[in-house]
């Protein structure tokens, strides 16, 4: 081994002895036969002034750790100070004993295994570090906020990290199964269950995606034979201007392309597909519970309770600790409720602002110089609104996170697990409203509250609200969903991978320089010592710590953000799937890449997440169940209210040629004209809404009447009996649809047990084995006493 001059290399190696004094190591000391694993590393800026408050707080915190029998190794490198923290065996002995006497954690794998797993060591030390307070009452998080410590992280294990890269975290493993057991032993059950859930969700998307493609191909097969398309494309009907001032009357046949697109997403097949997806959501969740039960039983965490483990860790950290009692304050609850309501009002207000933007944009685009944009002003405005909605979501995500966190602080929850549940519900609610408010407007309000010629509804008395296309409003919903879903998934994945990769790439130079300085020591001696289980030299420690320090930081939100992204995607694939049957296919393609992208990022580009034990995906399962209920309601309303499925049904069997006994005629002939009403230009109110120049066709003909989409009398503009019949059938369909689907969901939930019989029998045998073991221990202790 080469001896090196620390000052020459910019490295100062120090370790505090039990007397509390720092001794500069003149050389690399012989390796001691002890456990070499460091559980945690703290990083701080080097402070020369020993009377500086930052330096004093650093020393105070390290001293408090040593009072808890923690071994702390200090290494100074250039302008940074690294503290390696290693917990003694006694701490884990206490932890294991308390697991044994625990009500919910007494049959975990941690209690019986011989050597304490590194993931368990990290979890215990993480808790102790973040619940150690100096004399000023500040803990590690507060010290980090004040700049006393710059970073705190656990270390990657290079051998296991390499195995995960080979098996899992690489693009060439795109279509291979995930090594969930290896992920669990390295990152803990919480991360493993996320990937297990994501993998299961991706697998079950396959039948949904296949059926969605079949529905789309079914519509495509009748693309050229639909009489509705032919009626629009060959129509001579003159339509009323779509905007004020510059829009002229137009021919219905001008929107032939739009009419061809509409049946692709508004046909009979989407009704059955929406029913399937609502039931699919329930079957997915029930099968997930069974799938999850198999693994948590194998991992011995079936009855695990996070809140009880938190109590155990509290006792391990401080035997004299006091429990954080349950509290409920009606004042705090009322305040939180009011603030949540105000936040939702703000989010909905932003949606209305987007509506105003679309209306104004449509007017301005229709007045532009580009002929194509002018002719398709409404469609371009819809797409621009969707893009703006995407960027609004990115900004509101950060706002929502800050607000949800503050609301949790106001609540003062009893434990970290309770805080996590509360935060998840609030954050998801805010994000859901941010994401779906504009879609709700497009689905249920667009074209239904805009009025009619002579009585248009205007924003601030100036701008007319948007209208639906004569072929229906569902295409507008499809455009909105397609733009948001494609943008959200594609751009998020690009930035999610590229940004951490660039950050990690530019941070590698420091580690490479240190590795070159270490020379033969790093390449030979220390690697041999690692294989023998000995403590490596301090330069090799520093190299390993710097390698982890240069990775991107992680925190609670790292895994939360991944869950939130996927649950919102699940909302897209279920709630408005009637308007977008290709949504499951896009989700499937995205998830195949998402799994590997997240794996590569977590294993190679980010610091190691603190392994957490759990036996489920937490409050997310309740959120997914709520989404399943919303999917039934939303799809029923989309088909019953937004789609033209009901008007077409009523026309076919009550007003169309077939209902009147005509033969050799398609039953839907004349449907488009039947959905149009006529406005007389001679009416004074109608004339006030249009300029004379707007009422001249391209051929120079001055029109005396124009058509618009509605069911109104051509004389007094009152709603016709056909409108009320359609409304009654819409209402009846929504009620029938939701009751039928709910019945199927209940049958599916009852038919699929939450746990396989094999899991139940294995748990029964485990409990019996534990009781017998306890009886043997009791007999042994009695014989020893005698």
């Amino acid at each position: 081994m080469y001896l090196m001059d620390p000052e020459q290399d910019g490295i100062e190696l120090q370790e505090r002895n039990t007397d509390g004094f720092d001794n500069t190591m003149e050389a690399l000391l012989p390796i001691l036969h002890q456990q070499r694993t460091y559980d945690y590393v703290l990083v701080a800026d080097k402070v020369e002034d020993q009377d500086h408050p930052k330096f004093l707080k650093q020393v105070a915190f390290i001293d408090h750790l040593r009072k808890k029998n923690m071994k702390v190794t200090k290494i100074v490198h250039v302008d940074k100070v690294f503290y390696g923290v290693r917990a003694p065996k006694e701490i884990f002995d206490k932890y294991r004993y308390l697991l044994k006497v625990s009500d919910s954690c007494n049959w975990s794998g941690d209690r019986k295994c011989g050597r304490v797993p590194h993931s368990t060591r990290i979890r215990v030390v993480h808790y102790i570090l973040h619940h150690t307070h100096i004399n000023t009452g500040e803990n590690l998080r507060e010290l980090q906020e004040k700049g006393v410590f710059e970073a705190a992280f656990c270390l990657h294990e290079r051998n296991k990290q390499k195995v995960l890269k080979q098996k899992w975290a690489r693009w060439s493993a795109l279509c291979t199964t995930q090594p969930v057991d290896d992920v669990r032993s390295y990152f803990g059950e919480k991360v493993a269950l996320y990937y297990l859930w994501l993998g299961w969700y991706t697998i079950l998307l396959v039948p949904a995606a296949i059926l969605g493609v079949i529905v789309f191909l079914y519509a495509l097969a009748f693309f050229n034979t639909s009489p509705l398309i032919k009626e629009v494309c060959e129509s001579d009907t003159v339509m009323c201007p779509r905007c004020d001032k510059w829009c002229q009357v137009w021919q219905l046949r001008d929107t032939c392309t739009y009419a061809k697109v509409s049946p692709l997403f508004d046909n009979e097949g989407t009704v059955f597909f929406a029913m399937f997806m609502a039931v699919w959501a329930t079957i997915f969740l029930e099968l997930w519970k069974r799938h999850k039960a198999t693994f948590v039983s194998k991992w011995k965490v079936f009855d695990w309770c996070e809140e009880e483990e938190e109590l155990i860790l509290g006792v391990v950290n401080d035997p004299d600790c006091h429990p954080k009692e349950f509290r409920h304050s009606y004042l705090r609850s009322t305040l939180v409720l009011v603030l949540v309501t105000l936040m939702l009002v703000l989010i909905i207000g932003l949606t209305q602002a987007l509506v105003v933007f679309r209306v104004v944009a449509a007017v301005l685009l229709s007045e532009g110089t580009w002929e194509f944009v002018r002719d398709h002003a409404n469609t371009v405005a819809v797409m621009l609104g969707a893009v703006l909605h995407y960027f609004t979501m990115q900004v509101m995500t950060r706002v929502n996170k800050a607000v949800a966190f503050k609301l949790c602080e106001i609540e003062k929850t009893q434990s970290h697990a309770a805080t996590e549940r509360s935060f998840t519900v609030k954050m998801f609610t805010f994000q859901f409203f941010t994401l779906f408010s504009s879609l709700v407007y497009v689905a249920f309000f667009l074209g239904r509250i805009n009025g009619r010629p002579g009585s248009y509804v205007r924003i601030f008395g100036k701008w007319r609200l948007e209208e639906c296309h004569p072929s229906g409003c569902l295409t507008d919903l499809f455009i909105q969903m397609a733009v948001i879903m494609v943008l959200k998934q594609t751009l998020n994945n690009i930035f999610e991978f590229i940004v951490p990769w660039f950050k990690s790439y530019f941070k590698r130079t420091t580690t490479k320089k240190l590795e070159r300085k270490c020379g033969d020591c790093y390449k030979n001696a220390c690697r041999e010592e690692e294989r023998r289980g000995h403590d490596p030299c301090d330069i090799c420690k520093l190299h390993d710590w710097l390698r982890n320090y240069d990775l991107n930081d992680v925190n609670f939100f790292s895994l939360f953000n991944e869950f939130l992204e996927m649950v919102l995607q699940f909302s897209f694939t279920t709630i408005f799937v009637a308007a977008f049957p290709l949504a499951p296919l896009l989700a499937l393609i995205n998830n195949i890449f998402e799994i590997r992208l997240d794996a590569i990022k977590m294993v190679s580009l980010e610091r190691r997440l603190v392994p957490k034990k759990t036996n489920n995906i937490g409050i997310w399962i309740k959120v997914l169940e709520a989404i399943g209920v919303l999917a039934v309601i939303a799809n029923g309303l989309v088909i019953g209210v937004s789609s033209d499925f009901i008007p077409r049904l009523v026309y076919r069997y009550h007003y169309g040629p077939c209902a009147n006994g005509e033969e050799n005629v398609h039953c839907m002939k004349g449907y488009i004209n039947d959905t149009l009403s006529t406005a007389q230009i001679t009416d004074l109110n109608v004339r006030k809404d249009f300029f004379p120049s707007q009422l001249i066709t391209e051929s120079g003909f001055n029109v005396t009447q124009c058509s618009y989409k509605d069911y109104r009398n051509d004389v007094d503009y009152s709603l016709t009996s056909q409108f009320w019949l359609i409304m009654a059938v819409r209402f009846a369909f929504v009620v029938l649809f939701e009751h039928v689907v709910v019945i199927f969901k209940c049958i599916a939930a009852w038919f699929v047990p939450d746990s396989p019989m094999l899991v139940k029998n294995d748990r029964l045998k485990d409990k019996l084995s534990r009781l017998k073991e306890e009886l043997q221990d009791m007999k042994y202790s009695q014989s020893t006493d005698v």
Side-chain angles (χ1 to χ4, degrees), residues 196-212:
L196 187 69
W197 175 84
L198 181 55
W200 188 248
Y201 168 45
T202 303
I203 291 171
L204 287 197
L205 275 174
V206 173
I210 293 174
L211 188 58

Side-chain angles (χ1 to χ4, degrees), residues 84-134:
V85 181
R86 180 186 297 162
K89 179 177 179 295
E90 294 76 19
I91 287 180
F92 304 106
D93 291 340
K94 293 178 185 177
Y95 176 71
R96 281 179 165 180
Y97 177 77
L98 292 175
L99 287 180
K100 180 180 179 180
V101 300
S102 165
D103 294 330
S104 301
C105 306
N106 53 19
W107 200 236
S108 69
D110 279 350
R111 190 182 73 82
K112 298 195 70 178
C113 62
R115 185 178 63 85
V116 179
H118 196 197
S119 57
T120 300
R121 296 182 62 91
I122 292 172
R123 186 169 67 255
V124 174
V125 173
H126 171 82
Y127 183 91
I128 294 174
L129 286 176
H130 286 79
H131 289 79
T132 297
H133 297 76
I134 61 176

Side-chain angles (χ1 to χ4, degrees), residues 197 278 281-289 292 428 567 570-571 574-575 617-633 745 749 754:
W197 175 84
T282 298
I283 295 175
F284 159 70
L285 290 176
E286 295 303 319
L287 292 178
W288 156 248
K289 292 174 185 176
K292 180 257 309 180
F428 175 79
V567 172
F570 180 81
S571 305
T574 53
I575 291 181
I617 57 174
I619 195 65
W620 290 115
I621 193 68
K622 300 294 182 184
V623 173
L624 292 170
E625 290 173 351
I627 292 171
V629 175
L630 287 175
V632 177
I633 299 172
K745 286 171 69 71
D754 288 351

Side-chain angles (χ1 to χ4, degrees), residues 209-229:
I210 293 174
L211 188 58
V213 172
I214 292 174
V215 170
F216 180 77
L217 294 177
Y218 163 79
L220 204 60
F222 298 97
F223 182 75
N224 292 322
T225 60
S226 172
L228 304 182
I229 297 175

